[in-house]
Amino acid sequence: MEKQTIIKKLVDERGVEDLVVVIGAVDPEVAQVTAETVTLGDPSFAGPLAGVSLRLPVYHILESEVKNDIPQDVYEEQAGFMEIVADTETISRKFKEIREKITQV
Amino acid sequence: MPDPIIKTCSYILAHAPNFVRYGSKPMREIADDPDAVLPSIESHLRTFQEAVAYAPNQVYIGNLHPDRLNDMEQPWYGHPLEGASRCGPYGESMPEDELLALMKLADDFDLVWLDKETAPILSGALRSNPLWKDSDLKKVDAGMERGRIDERIQHHGSLPLYRDGRVVGCVHRHHEQDDTLKAHVLMENLLAKTSGALALTHLLNNAKLRPDEIDFILNCSEEAVGDRYNRGGGGLAKAIGEMCGCAHATGCDIKAFCVGPLYAILHAAALVKAGLFQRVAVVGGGSMAKLGMKFKGHVSKGMPILEDVLGGLAFLVTGNDGESPIIRLDSIGRHDIGSGSSQQSIMESLVLKPLDKLGKKVTEVDKYATELQNPEVTVPAGSGNVPLTNYRMIGALGVLRKELKREEIDRFVMDHGMPGFSPTQGHIPAAVPFLGHAIDAIRKGEMENAMFIARGSLFLGRMTQLSDGLSFLLEKNPGKA
């Protein structure tokens, strides 16, 4: 809920251009719900993004598109452990689907 | 002096469908839109038989081993267990009629009124329970005129108690201006006391101990008993002990969010090891606030509301009996204030540091018990599979230490973990629901050891950004010297 508030504030202040959301949740289901909330709107209709479809591009920190843009040593230190923990294949698949859904809306 | 042991345990569930409306989340949502939300909640509640036959609940009271859930088709609520019993080796599932009667029995301040017509039905139900049949239930039998109950609800801030869709009693506030003594808070506290007393009664029964043989009680429930000058002041340990007849015990409450039960066991072990007390009972009652916490996710997916039970547990910590599993006090894993808050550093503190002290590999612990929330409750609400993530993190620690290959993590999770089965009652899922199964398996020689790991979100109280955690290893007793 607090994160929804922060993202809504950022969008209100800066607009949706040049804004990308990077999700870090390691559980694929949690990551998916979080990603859908900041792109398609709050499915629980409880937070600041209820009925607000920002259609922001969304990536997961463990996707190769993000990993390749971060210095290897920094990535290893900050995300290396979670990369071993997470089911990165499922996460990548779910996030690609969400990005495709945004372009179709 | 040898390390203390956990001699026995108890686990209880109290089916409380008519209290779901008073859970924190349902209550707020009902206030926003009563006409839509309340009927939606009521139409998704389970019967007592459905709650009993729910496989995770059978695991909790000890009728099934957690690993059996791996073989059961999901959703578990769609595959009820035939012939499931409300009783198990660790305790029982109590129906709501008995819970209401027991709640009145727990009431020392005439906070609960039951109507004259219903009270005898409820006390009759409790009399049918072997553990309470000899109790003095005059207080429950008495009952009150319905008109007086209605008047209190309409004009004095009392909250109605429901049964079969009608009001059968109420809970009063006990001070006109004190929010800590309003009806909702007192109801919450009274249910923690009631379910805690039920757990302690089963513990005494399982341990074959007289109540006066307990000399110290540590309560680790999630409630805030107190008044306007001392919110959360405490005293539930002795309230529960008094209700169970533990006349020769003293005690106090331990608070540490979800790590509460492990801190309580640690304190119990320290008191026994120091020789200050001989038999220490750790007890935790249920949390009404958590009832229906994820109901929106359940309702939106056409599921029954699975958070319809209060959980309770109790453990008996004593000096070494030469048989029961020991708490290795040299294995305590701590999350120090300066430990750092990344998932990796927390798990290193709680898992690797203790293993290093003991000279063990990650794979040399037979079973890890982490937060054991039932994923069928949390996943539909977008909160993920908490135990699975924790087990994968422990496996990842093994990979970093080159004790496991990455492709072996799934196997590690299956062998050294277990599916979550605990009701999402805050402190209750924090590793300790597996203690009973671990004690049994270690006694039978099926396991050598198990590590219990709990983490807490101290930041929720807004006083610090810190997380918390504690762990210990339970190990086969080496036997009498």
Side-chain angles (χ1 to χ4, degrees):
Chain A
M1 206 72 86
E2 285 170 22
K3 284 166 191 161
Q4 283 191 41
T5 308
I6 293 168
I7 288 172
K8 179 79 169 40
K9 192 170 164 232
L10 278 172
V11 169
D12 289 345
E13 285 171 8
R14 296 160 187 257
V16 292
E17 280 173 31
D18 298 330
L19 201 59
V20 175
V21 182
V22 179
I23 307 286
V26 69
D27 187 297
E29 306 290 337
V30 177
Q32 182 179 4
V33 171
T34 315
E36 287 178 347
T37 301
V38 298
T39 52
L40 304 169
D42 181 1
S44 71
F45 275 85
L49 296 179
V52 180
S53 183
L54 298 175
R55 298 175 65 191
L56 293 170
V58 65
Y59 288 86
H60 197 284
I61 186 76
L62 300 177
E63 286 186 281
S64 54
E65 291 90 333
V66 183
K67 183 178 178 177
N68 294 339
D69 279 352
I70 297 174
Q72 200 182 340
D73 55 334
V74 176
Y75 191 86
E76 200 53 44
E77 189 189 329
Q78 299 292 327
F81 179 66
M82 296 321 267
E83 193 179 23
I84 303 172
V85 173
D87 179 353
T88 48
E89 272 179 38
T90 305
I91 285 174
S92 297
R93 180 172 49 76
K94 282 182 184 285
F95 273 67
K96 279 191 180 72
E97 284 168 11
I98 293 167
R99 288 194 291 273
E100 279 165 20
K101 229 190 266 181
I102 302 171
T103 55
Q104 287 162 11
V105 173
Chain B
M1 183 187 255
D3 284 341
I5 57 152
I6 302 185
K7 182 123 183 126
T8 189
C9 59
S10 74
Y11 297 93
I12 64 95
L13 297 171
H15 189 230
N18 286 300
F19 289 94
V20 169
R21 65 171 66 206
Y22 295 129
S24 174
K25 182 70 174 170
M27 200 156 174
R28 285 178 281 137
E29 296 290 327
I30 291 169
D32 277 353
D33 188 0
D35 294 339
V37 177
L38 192 52
S40 160
I41 287 176
E42 286 177 333
S43 63
H44 287 80
L45 293 173
R46 293 188 293 190
T47 64
F48 177 61
Q49 284 70 27
E50 286 168 340
V52 166
Y54 184 52
N57 289 351
Q58 286 290 306
V59 174
Y60 187 78
I61 61 169
N63 283 331
L64 278 180
H65 190 276
D67 284 346
R68 291 279 305 279
L69 291 173
N70 284 320
D71 311 321
M72 289 184 183
E73 199 175 337
Q74 281 190 269
W76 295 317
Y77 62 81
H79 298 84
L81 297 179
E82 273 188 41
S85 170
R86 64 170 274 193
C87 300
Y90 305 147
E92 67 172 306
S93 298
M94 177 172 263
E96 199 168 35
D97 276 2
E98 293 178 34
L99 175 67
L100 284 170
L102 202 56
M103 189 180 178
K104 180 61 193 169
L105 200 62
D107 168 21
D108 288 342
F109 282 82
D110 203 24
L111 302 168
V112 179
W113 283 0
L114 300 171
D115 81 35
K116 275 189 166 223
E117 202 179 299
T118 313
I121 300 171
L122 303 180
S123 65
L126 193 57
R127 276 195 184 89
S128 70
N129 187 315
L131 288 184
W132 300 94
K133 66 180 169 48
D134 298 325
S135 305
D136 181 2
L137 298 181
K138 280 198 292 290
K139 193 161 72 173
V140 187
D141 286 322
M144 181 61 69
E145 283 85 16
R146 179 57 195 271
R148 291 193 66 192
I149 291 173
D150 290 342
E151 198 264 338
R152 282 294 191 110
I153 292 169
Q154 282 161 19
H155 302 295
H156 298 283
S158 299
L159 279 178
L161 294 170
Y162 296 90
R163 179 178 183 267
D164 291 338
R166 66 180 199 92
V167 174
V168 294
C170 62
V171 176
H172 309 308
R173 63 182 305 146
H174 214 248
H175 192 284
E176 289 303 312
Q177 293 149 333
D178 186 346
D179 276 351
T180 59
L181 294 175
K182 67 182 182 184
H184 188 248
V185 175
L186 289 172
M187 182 188 276
E188 193 169 288
N189 293 343
L190 213 41
L191 283 174
K193 176 183 174 183
T194 306
S195 48
L198 180 59
L200 183 55
T201 303
H202 274 282
L203 183 79
L204 295 168
N205 188 55
N206 295 346
K208 298 183 176 57
L209 276 183
R210 292 190 321 271
D212 61 5
E213 291 181 281
I214 297 289
D215 52 10
F216 203 88
I217 301 170
L218 287 161
N219 161 60
C220 60
S221 311
E222 277 196 355
E223 68 349 282
V225 174
D227 76 350
R228 58 206 168 280
Y229 296 116
N230 192 349
R231 286 191 294 272
L236 200 60
K238 295 183 91 160
I240 291 170
E242 180 191 27
M243 188 174 170
C244 295
C246 301
H248 295 167
T250 186
C252 66
D253 300 346
I254 299 275
K255 295 277 164 208
F257 276 98
C258 298
V259 199
L262 282 204
Y263 275 115
I265 289 172
L266 178 67
H267 281 76
L271 290 172
V272 169
K273 177 99 176 176
L276 291 176
F277 296 93
Q278 316 304 315
R279 295 186 191 89
V280 181
V282 170
V283 60
S287 168
M288 183 182 84
K290 308 287 198 312
L291 292 177
M293 189 165 51
K294 310 284 183 194
F295 85 94
K296 287 181 82 175
H298 298 170
V299 167
S300 72
K301 296 197 165 48
M303 295 167 52
I305 295 172
L306 299 172
E307 292 163 304
D308 59 354
V309 289
L310 298 166
L313 37 73
F315 309 104
L316 179 64
V317 179
T318 73
N320 192 359
D321 63 357
E323 296 170 4
S324 307
I326 57 169
I327 305 167
R328 285 283 299 261
L329 291 182
D330 56 349
S331 72
I332 304 299
R334 304 152 29 157
H335 182 239
D336 292 339
I337 290 170
S339 290
S341 59
S342 75
Q343 296 287 348
Q344 185 176 354
S345 63
I346 293 172
M347 290 309 252
E348 280 176 351
S349 297
L350 298 181
V351 179
L352 294 188
K353 282 188 184 170
L355 289 181
D356 285 343
K357 273 193 281 182
L358 299 170
K360 286 186 186 298
K361 292 181 183 170
V362 169
T363 49
E364 287 176 337
V365 171
D366 291 334
K367 283 280 188 193
Y368 290 90
T370 67
E371 288 100 347
L372 289 170
Q373 286 94 337
N374 174 359
E376 209 157 87
V377 173
T378 55
V379 171
S383 304
N385 187 333
V386 180
L388 179 63
T389 302
N390 282 326
Y391 287 128
R392 291 190 66 88
M393 276 198 265
I394 298 169
L397 293 176
V399 173
L400 290 177
R401 282 159 66 106
K402 305 204 180 341
E403 293 169 8
L404 267 179
K405 296 190 181 109
R406 187 174 173 172
E407 55 273 22
E408 291 172 334
I409 288 183
D410 287 346
R411 186 76 246 165
F412 173 84
V413 171
M414 189 61 85
D415 292 344
H416 297 267
M418 69 197 79
F421 61 88
S422 172
T424 48
Q425 287 261 290
H427 57 315
I428 298 286
V432 288
F434 184 62
L435 256 174
H437 294 284
I439 292 169
D440 285 351
I442 291 172
R443 275 215 180 107
K444 286 183 202 158
E446 295 165 1
M447 266 175 35
E448 286 288 314
N449 58 24
M451 184 179 273
F452 293 82
I453 307 154
R455 294 183 302 167
S457 307
L458 302 188
F459 50 83
L460 295 173
R462 305 295 192 269
M463 289 295 113
T464 171
Q465 294 280 358
L466 285 176
S467 296
D468 195 15
L470 199 71
S471 67
F472 68 80
L473 192 81
L474 191 75
E475 195 171 79
K476 184 181 172 183
N477 198 310
K480 286 196 173 104

